[in-house]
């Protein structure tokens, strides 16, 4: 998961911030992506304040490799490093709460969405209300909570200034364990916004209890928390350390008989009052739990209300722990997509208990990549999730029971539009009652090398030619009576090359315009294109490199919402040979403009094309949750049932009817993105199938849908194959079984 770390103690310092470097290292060692944004100096006791009217300025900090001792401060720059591999921390001359705002919204976006904010580890405890109400550590966590992010305030309570590095290491390990367990168990009913976790710096802390805790309600006793002084005295860091130790206890305030005497005041809280309130309290509160050397967890709302899933003083359950080395496996995850990579890693960590997986993410995907180079032994269980070109199919073939890969080798029967058309035709011919007959528009496929040969290419496209001939004979003043067609390049994606037409003249004009835009030579250095991906330089690519086309009857009238056309993006998981699951939480992707009929504006793609990646002026509501659409729940459920039926049928059609072009593997899984359109009558139509779907279209705001899907992939696709127990999740029912096809290869 991607974690933002902040604190109220500032950058690493043996005097004021001795723990943060160690915690960050342990988080990274656990496989998390960590971003750090801190106050540039000590900001304790400041709560959730912001410095209004002050311009905040960042500096850029590279921590020392030494995580303990006097020389761990690192180096600071006024400007960010230009090095490609620089992973700098950001220091802000503001408050902890301001660091959260700036860290969430102004830095680190290249690492993907932030899943969790950790504030701390604080230099000292944050138990009881007296500390918590003023704590900058709690303040930063609360700021994250009101930004609708999961947040944990982590504090290390010490009882001696002898900071043994071994004890700090143990506290960090234990802190990471608590953090990961809390994240996996986070309530879905919004009953908790913030967890305040206090870990005592005591020997053997990892073996001590971890308990749910109330926050002790205590108060200052009579007397001021400020001491009168004459002028400046002492060093601020030294005074702060003394305060944390509880060494300062001021006497009664001096009272003057008349007038004012000029005075200075120094913060000198009455810590003895706090410690006495703990001693006099009953069991179950955070102060007593820490006093006894145990770890406390206090769940809270961002309004300071304590929210308990279980009674105070109950022992915290970390969940399933790996007990057998035989169950462990290795995961090589290098998806090469900054949007989805952290979501996959987060899903892995959520499903498989800590210590069960050896995670490898720092992988260079070269031509000679080999899984064997990363394994502890040739027989180690391993899952590889990488781009298709980097998958080690050879290793998977020789290790069919221990190696799981994330793609089938051959699946063009589905993912190439002209092959999909043939797959459906062959299956429907043999199975006339198949739902594909009534939920897939029959396409005409053809090949065109150059525009002048278009007429010859359509010789066998009988239905298309007859339709265009009928359209041409109609009165030109009534274009609405024509049957309109949508043209799609067979091997493009992301909406490239899609056009509308109704007559041969219009279709010929499309190819003539592409031909005119084509460069004089295919060797032109600016004219390059990988035929398996979409082009960037113009639609002329479709006439030379993408010669396969399909023409499909245009779906009109479509179901509209807010007068806009939309399609449904469905994420599908295929495992082994062959089980198909549909992820329940689908997306609705909307066109950028109000819908217009094809005869009104056939060239205005933003009115009829719903691929959000092509929108020049995308609407803020371009991507929505399917189940939140303003339609009756019965209609939404009916659409989902149609999608499940068609999805299961089309994958079985490819596996049984086109086995040369769709070859499953028992030790592989693959994720697909299926696009569906709903017409005005409520019928759902399959449009196309995409391998390695463009998850970025989901957007940052709905990234939890992608993460949830990958949790399902880990649970259903990875855990079952490797024979590994997985953590229990509330979303287990979100992966809906659409079809279980026995191809005799399991």
């Amino acid at each position: 998961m991607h974690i933002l770390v902040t604190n109220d103690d500032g950058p690493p310092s043996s005097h004021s911030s001795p723990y943060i470097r160690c915690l960050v290292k342990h988080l990274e060692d656990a496989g998390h992506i960590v971003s750090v944004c801190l106050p540039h100096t000590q900001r304790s006791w400041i709560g959730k304040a912001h410095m209004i009217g002050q311009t905040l300025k960042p500096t850029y900090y590279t921590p020392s490799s030494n995580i303990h001792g006097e020389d761990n401060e690192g180096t600071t720059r006024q400007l960010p490093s230009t090095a490609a591999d620089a992973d700098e921390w950001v220091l802000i001359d503001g408050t902890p709460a301001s660091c959260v705002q700036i860290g969430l919204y102004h830095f680190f976006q290249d690492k993907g969405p932030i899943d969790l904010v950790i504030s701390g580890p604080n230099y000292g405890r944050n138990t009881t209300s007296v500390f918590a109400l003023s704590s900058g550590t709690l303040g930063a966590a609360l700021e994250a909570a009101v930004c609708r992010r999961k947040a944990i305030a982590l504090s290390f309570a010490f009882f001696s200034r002898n900071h043994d590095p071994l004890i700090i290491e143990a506290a960090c390990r234990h802190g990471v364990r608590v953090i990961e367990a809390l994240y996996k168990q986070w309530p879905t009913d919004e009953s908790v916004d913030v967890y305040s976790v206090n870990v005592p710096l005591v020997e053997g802390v990892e073996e001590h209890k971890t308990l749910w805790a109330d926050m002790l309600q205590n108060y200052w006793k009579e007397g001021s928390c400020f001491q009168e002084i004459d002028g400046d005295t002492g060093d601020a860091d030294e005074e702060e350390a003394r305060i944390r130790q509880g060494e300062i206890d001021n006497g009664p305030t001096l009272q003057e008989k008349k007038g004012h005497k000029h005075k200075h005041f120094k913060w000198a809280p009455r810590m003895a009052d706090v410690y006495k309130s703990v001693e006099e309290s009953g069991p179950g509160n955070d102060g007593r739990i820490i006093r006894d050397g145990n770890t406390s967890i206090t769940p809270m709302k961002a309004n300071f209300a304590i929210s308990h899933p279980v009674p105070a003083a109950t022992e915290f359950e970390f969940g399933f722990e790996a007990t057998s080395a035989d169950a462990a496996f290795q995961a090589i995850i290098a998806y090469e997509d900054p949007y989805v990579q952290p979501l996959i890693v987060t899903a892995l960590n959520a499903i498989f208990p800590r210590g069960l997986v050896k995670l490898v993410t720092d992988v260079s995907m070269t031509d000679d990549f080999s899984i064997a180079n990363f394994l502890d032994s040739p027989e180690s269980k391993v899952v590889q999730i990488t781009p298709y070109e980097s998958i080690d199919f050879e290793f998977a073939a020789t290790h069919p029971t221990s190696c799981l890969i994330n793609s089938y080798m051959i699946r063009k029967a589905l993912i190439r539009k002209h092959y999909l058309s043939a797959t459906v035709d062959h299956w429907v011919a043999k199975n006339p009652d198949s739902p594909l007959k009534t939920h897939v528009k029959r396409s005409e496929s053809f090949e065109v090398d150059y525009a002048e040969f278009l007429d010859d290419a359509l010789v066998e496209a009988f239905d298309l030619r007859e339709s265009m001939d009928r359209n041409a004979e109609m009165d030109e003043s009534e274009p609405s009576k024509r049957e309109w067609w949508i043209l799609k390049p067979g091997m493009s994606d992301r909406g490239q090359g899609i056009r509308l037409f109704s007559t041969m003249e219009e279709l010929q004009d499309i190819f003539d315009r592409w031909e005119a835009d084509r460069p004089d030579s295919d060797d032109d250095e600016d004219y390059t294109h990988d035929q398996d991906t979409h082009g960037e330089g113009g639609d002329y690519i479709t006439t030379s490199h993408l010669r396969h086309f399909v023409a499909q009857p245009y779906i009109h009238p479509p179901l509209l919402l807010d007068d806009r056309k939309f399609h449904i993006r469905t994420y599908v998981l295929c495992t082994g040979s062959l089980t198909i699951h549909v992820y329940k939480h689908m997306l609705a992707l909307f066109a950028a403009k109000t819908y217009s009929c094809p005869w009104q504006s056939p060239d205005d793609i933003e009115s009829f094309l719903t691929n959000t990646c092509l929108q020049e002026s995308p609407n803020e509501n371009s991507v929505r949750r399917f189940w939140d659409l303003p339609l009756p729940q019965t209609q939404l459920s009916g659409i989902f049932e149609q999608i499940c039926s068609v999805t299961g049928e089309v994958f079985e059609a490819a596996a049984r009817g086109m086995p040369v072009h769709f070859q499953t593997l028992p030790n592989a899984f693959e994720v697909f993105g299926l696009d569906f359109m709903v017409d005005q009558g409520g019928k759902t139509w399959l449009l196309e199938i995409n391998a390695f779907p463009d998850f970025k279209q989901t957007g940052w705001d709905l990234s939890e849908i992608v993460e949830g899907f990958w949790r399902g992939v880990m649970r259903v696709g990875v855990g079952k194959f490797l024979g590994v127990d997985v953590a229990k999740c509330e979303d287990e029912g979100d992966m809906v079984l659409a079809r279980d096809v026995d191809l005799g290869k399991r």
Side-chain angles (χ1 to χ4, degrees):
M1 94 184 106
H2 185 189
I3 298 173
L4 174 66
V5 173
T6 190
N7 70 4
D8 69 351
D9 295 325
S13 163
S14 58
H15 301 291
S16 59
S17 185
Y19 312 136
I20 187 168
R21 181 72 182 88
C22 186
L23 178 72
V24 169
K25 179 181 182 299
H26 279 276
L27 287 169
E28 291 174 336
D29 289 347
H32 302 296
I33 299 170
V34 181
S35 300
V36 184
C37 186
L38 312 173
H40 78 303
T41 189
Q42 173 64 240
R43 295 293 190 195
S44 293
W45 299 89
I46 203 167
K48 204 180 79 67
H50 294 287
M51 295 180 177
I52 304 303
Q54 175 179 320
T55 299
L56 303 184
K57 299 180 289 297
T59 52
Y60 305 90
Y61 177 86
T62 302
S64 166
S65 58
N66 179 24
I67 63 175
H68 300 292
E70 297 289 334
D71 59 343
N72 69 344
E73 277 76 1
T75 58
T76 304
R77 298 182 182 87
Q78 295 303 309
L79 296 174
S81 171
T82 58
D85 60 347
D87 189 15
E88 296 175 307
W89 298 5
V90 177
L91 307 183
I92 301 294
D93 58 348
T95 67
S98 297
C99 290
V100 169
Q101 285 278 344
I102 292 169
L104 285 176
Y105 300 116
H106 301 283
F107 288 101
F108 315 121
Q109 284 84 356
D110 59 318
K111 297 182 181 180
I114 289 171
D115 304 292
L116 175 68
V117 175
I118 296 175
S119 181
N122 187 62
Y123 183 22
R125 72 198 66 195
N126 273 307
T127 55
T128 81
S129 60
V130 164
F131 284 162
L133 288 169
S134 299
S135 168
T137 302
L138 265 295
L142 290 168
E143 186 69 29
V146 297
C147 292
R148 301 310 298 267
R149 295 300 200 282
K150 295 180 174 69
I152 296 174
L154 178 64
S155 305
F156 286 176
F158 60 82
F159 303 87
S160 167
R161 297 198 67 178
N162 180 20
H163 291 135
D164 186 339
L166 295 179
I167 292 179
I168 294 174
E169 291 278 352
C172 287
R173 284 194 302 270
H174 185 59
V176 171
R177 183 178 174 223
V178 172
I179 288 165
E180 292 179 331
L182 287 174
Y183 186 83
K184 292 175 184 178
Q185 302 178 24
W186 209 285
T188 59
D189 59 359
E190 299 187 350
S191 60
V192 176
D193 292 330
V194 175
Y195 287 103
S196 176
V197 177
N198 283 271
V199 178
L201 289 180
V202 294
E203 189 172 351
V205 65
E206 293 173 284
E207 284 71 50
H208 291 199
K209 291 181 179 180
T210 299
L211 302 172
W212 294 108
D214 287 327
M215 182 179 291
L216 176 62
Q217 178 65 67
N218 58 352
Y219 305 89
W220 296 120
K221 292 189 177 180
E222 187 67 26
S224 174
C225 285
F226 286 88
Q227 181 182 8
E228 297 178 11
I229 59 173
D230 294 324
D232 297 328
T233 66
D235 176 79
D237 288 339
E238 180 180 341
E239 293 300 321
E240 174 63 25
R242 291 178 60 204
I243 289 172
R244 293 179 187 279
Q245 285 284 116
E247 295 176 0
I248 297 177
D249 194 358
N250 58 309
T253 303
L254 179 64
Q255 300 294 322
E256 294 296 320
K257 293 184 178 180
K258 59 179 179 179
H260 293 293
K261 178 181 178 180
H262 183 63
K263 309 168 187 176
H264 290 184
F265 301 91
K266 183 173 65 173
W267 176 240
R270 304 173 65 94
M271 296 300 176
D273 294 347
V274 178
Y275 301 139
K276 185 176 180 181
S277 68
V278 171
E279 294 300 324
E280 294 176 349
S281 68
N285 68 74
D286 51 2
R288 282 288 292 272
I289 289 171
I290 285 296
R291 187 208 66 173
D292 295 339
N294 298 316
T295 296
S296 70
I297 302 174
T298 304
M300 299 185 298
K301 291 293 290 179
N303 56 14
F304 287 104
I306 296 174
S307 172
H308 265 296
V310 291
T314 302
E315 189 154 2
F316 173 68
E317 295 291 339
F318 284 91
F320 173 84
E321 290 291 330
T323 58
S324 172
D326 294 334
F329 69 95
Q330 295 176 244
I332 301 171
I333 302 179
Y335 204 76
E336 295 190 348
D337 183 330
Y339 176 90
V340 74
Q341 168 79 8
L343 300 179
I344 297 175
V345 173
T346 298
L348 178 90
N349 289 329
I351 293 300
F352 299 107
R354 183 170 177 262
L356 194 64
V357 185
K358 180 180 178 182
L359 179 63
V360 178
T361 57
D362 187 13
V363 181
S364 177
M365 292 289 101
T366 59
D367 293 338
D368 59 349
F369 171 83
S370 173
I371 290 178
N373 294 335
F374 294 89
L375 298 186
D376 295 333
S377 74
E379 301 307 315
S380 295
K381 293 182 178 180
V382 61
V383 57
Q384 180 191 9
I385 302 178
T386 64
Y388 179 87
E389 296 77 13
S390 303
I391 294 175
D392 193 343
F393 288 103
E394 182 177 352
F395 186 91
T398 57
H399 297 78
T401 61
S402 60
C403 176
L404 179 67
I405 54 178
N406 67 302
S407 178
Y408 300 128
M409 183 178 290
I410 300 174
R411 61 271 202 269
K412 59 185 178 182
L414 294 168
I415 66 174
R416 297 299 180 221
K417 297 177 182 66
H418 51 301
Y419 278 93
L420 177 60
S421 173
T423 297
V424 173
D425 280 351
H426 291 169
W427 186 254
V428 169
K430 295 180 179 180
N431 301 274
D433 295 330
S434 169
L436 299 185
K437 184 174 183 178
T438 53
H439 291 275
V440 182
K441 291 287 187 180
R442 186 183 181 280
S443 302
E444 295 278 14
S445 59
F446 55 93
E447 298 181 18
V448 180
D449 288 311
Y450 297 96
E452 61 186 292
F453 301 133
L454 176 61
D455 191 63
D456 294 336
L458 298 178
V459 169
E460 296 185 4
F462 303 111
D463 291 347
L464 174 60
R465 293 192 68 97
E466 289 181 2
S467 173
M468 291 191 296
D469 290 342
R470 288 194 302 270
N471 289 338
E473 294 173 359
M474 292 183 181
D475 189 336
E476 293 184 1
S477 65
E478 296 183 303
S480 62
K481 294 184 178 180
R482 298 179 187 173
E483 181 180 20
W484 283 80
W485 294 76
I486 185 165
L487 177 70
K488 301 177 181 179
M491 292 192 295
S492 71
D493 56 15
R494 298 167 63 90
Q496 294 290 319
I498 289 181
R499 295 291 185 271
L500 300 183
F501 68 95
S502 62
T503 65
M504 184 65 186
E505 181 181 4
E506 293 168 349
L507 182 60
Q508 184 70 60
D509 184 59
I510 291 170
F511 281 89
D512 287 342
R513 278 184 284 165
W514 280 335
E515 188 80 13
D517 290 338
R518 182 183 173 193
D520 294 335
S521 171
D522 287 354
D523 296 329
D524 188 328
E525 64 179 6
D526 293 328
Y527 178 61
T528 58
H529 179 68
D530 177 357
Q531 68 177 12
D532 289 328
T533 61
H534 70 282
E536 301 291 348
D539 284 327
Y540 58 77
I541 59 173
T542 55
T543 58
S544 57
H545 284 180
L546 303 184
R547 62 193 184 122
H548 299 280
F549 293 85
V550 294
Q552 190 177 70
Y554 184 75
I555 298 171
H556 177 82
L559 178 64
L560 303 179
L561 292 175
D562 299 330
D563 295 324
R564 292 161 64 202
K565 184 179 176 182
F566 67 95
H567 81 264
I568 299 167
R569 165 52 62 95
T570 304
Y571 294 129
V572 173
L573 168 66
C574 290
T575 58
S577 297
L578 171 72
T579 303
I580 303 103
H581 285 84
V582 174
Y583 185 54
K584 184 176 181 179
H585 298 287
M586 303 183 297
L587 301 167
L589 281 66
F590 283 75
K593 295 181 180 178
T594 298
Y595 179 72
S596 58
C597 302
W599 55 88
Q600 294 174 328
S601 51
D603 296 326
D604 186 5
I605 64 172
E606 288 198 331
S607 69
F608 72 83
L609 200 60
T610 51
N611 298 64
T612 58
C613 57
L614 286 182
Q615 294 179 6
E616 295 180 2
S617 54
N619 187 286
E620 62 180 5
N621 292 320
S622 289
V623 183
R624 307 184 200 174
R625 297 174 185 270
F626 169 77
W627 294 100
D628 289 345
L629 294 178
L631 295 170
Q633 286 298 308
T634 52
Q635 184 174 0
L636 293 175
S637 297
I639 292 171
F640 182 69
E641 289 175 3
Q642 293 179 60
I643 287 174
C644 288
S645 173
V646 173
T647 298
E649 186 81 359
V650 74
F651 277 93
E652 182 171 1
R656 295 194 188 278
M658 300 284 278
V660 174
H661 300 304
F662 184 64
Q663 298 182 12
T664 61
L665 296 170
N667 60 323
F669 71 89
E670 185 155 8
V671 302
F672 295 89
L674 276 64
D675 292 337
F676 292 88
M677 183 76 67
V678 183
D679 66 24
Q680 196 174 67
K683 181 177 287 188
T684 303
W685 299 91
L686 173 64
L687 302 180
E688 64 182 42
I689 300 175
N690 302 279
F692 286 83
D694 183 11
F695 288 106
K696 291 192 297 296
Q697 288 196 61
T698 304
W700 296 112
D701 291 342
L702 297 180
S703 61
E704 70 271 14
I705 289 180
V706 179
E707 182 183 332
F709 172 64
W710 278 100
R711 283 198 300 271
V713 171
M714 295 300 168
R715 185 173 57 250
V716 175
V718 178
K720 287 187 178 180
F721 175 84
L722 296 176
V724 178
D725 290 331
V726 299
K728 292 184 178 180
C729 297
E730 294 184 1
D731 57 2
E732 289 184 10
D734 292 344
M735 299 296 284
V736 178
L737 180 64
R739 192 70 58 95
D740 192 0
V741 185
D742 187 358
L743 300 177
K745 296 188 288 185
R746 302 190 179 194

